[in-house]
Amino acid sequence: VQLVESGGGLVQAGGSLKLSCAASGSIFSTNAMGWYRQAPGKQREYVAGVTNDGTTNYADSVKGRFTISRDNAKNTLYLQMNSLKPEDTAVYYCAAARNIVILRMTAHYWGQGTQVTISS
């Protein structure tokens, strides 16, 4: 297993969660990293991405509330989620792709996903 997420859970609306993704070094060092999510009955959608040099990109729906970051020394990706809303409820997937342009459309590598549930 090359991408392993953790940190999901159940929180009330307005609360915060921080997701983590531990990656193999070979993937982490050579790819843009990001997060996708999939809500029940909906397509998987792009949430945020970060390049090797730390440039970040966000979907409009999470901009200003979520912060993506990467620790290159630990091969770990993070997603700090604040001001959570019930519509943020989804399975969140860690993803990696050759560059951020590709990552915004799809990924070469996927984690197994972690459930995030926001109660109203």
Side-chain angles (χ1 to χ4, degrees):
V1 178
Q2 296 174 305
L3 298 176
V4 181
E5 303 97 335
S6 61
L10 170 65
V11 296
Q12 289 187 329
S16 299
L17 274 177
K18 186 172 185 178
L19 305 182
S20 299
C21 172
S24 67
S26 60
I27 291 177
F28 200 82
S29 63
T30 58
N31 285 271
M33 301 293 299
W35 295 92
Y36 276 71
R37 66 186 182 186
Q38 186 167 19
K42 295 187 176 181
Q43 287 190 328
R44 194 174 295 190
E45 64 174 1
Y46 172 82
V47 174
V50 59
T51 65
N52 279 337
D53 64 3
T55 302
T56 58
N57 178 267
Y58 297 93
D60 288 343
S61 58
V62 305
K63 203 171 292 184
R65 300 188 298 122
F66 290 10
T67 302
I68 189 170
S69 62
R70 62 191 292 163
D71 186 332
N72 290 337
K74 296 182 178 179
N75 293 335
T76 302
L77 179 73
Y78 302 100
L79 185 68
Q80 176 67 49
M81 304 185 294
N82 299 327
S83 302
L84 285 161
K85 306 174 182 180
E87 51 263 43
D88 294 318
T89 295
V91 177
Y92 283 69
Y93 296 91
C94 180
R98 190 178 304 116
N99 58 58
I100 196 75
V101 173
I102 295 174
L103 186 61
R104 291 181 66 181
M105 297 181 291
T106 187
H108 301 313
Y109 302 95
W110 295 97
Q112 81 287 354
T114 185
Q115 177 70 47
V116 171
T117 304
I118 313 301
S119 62
S120 58

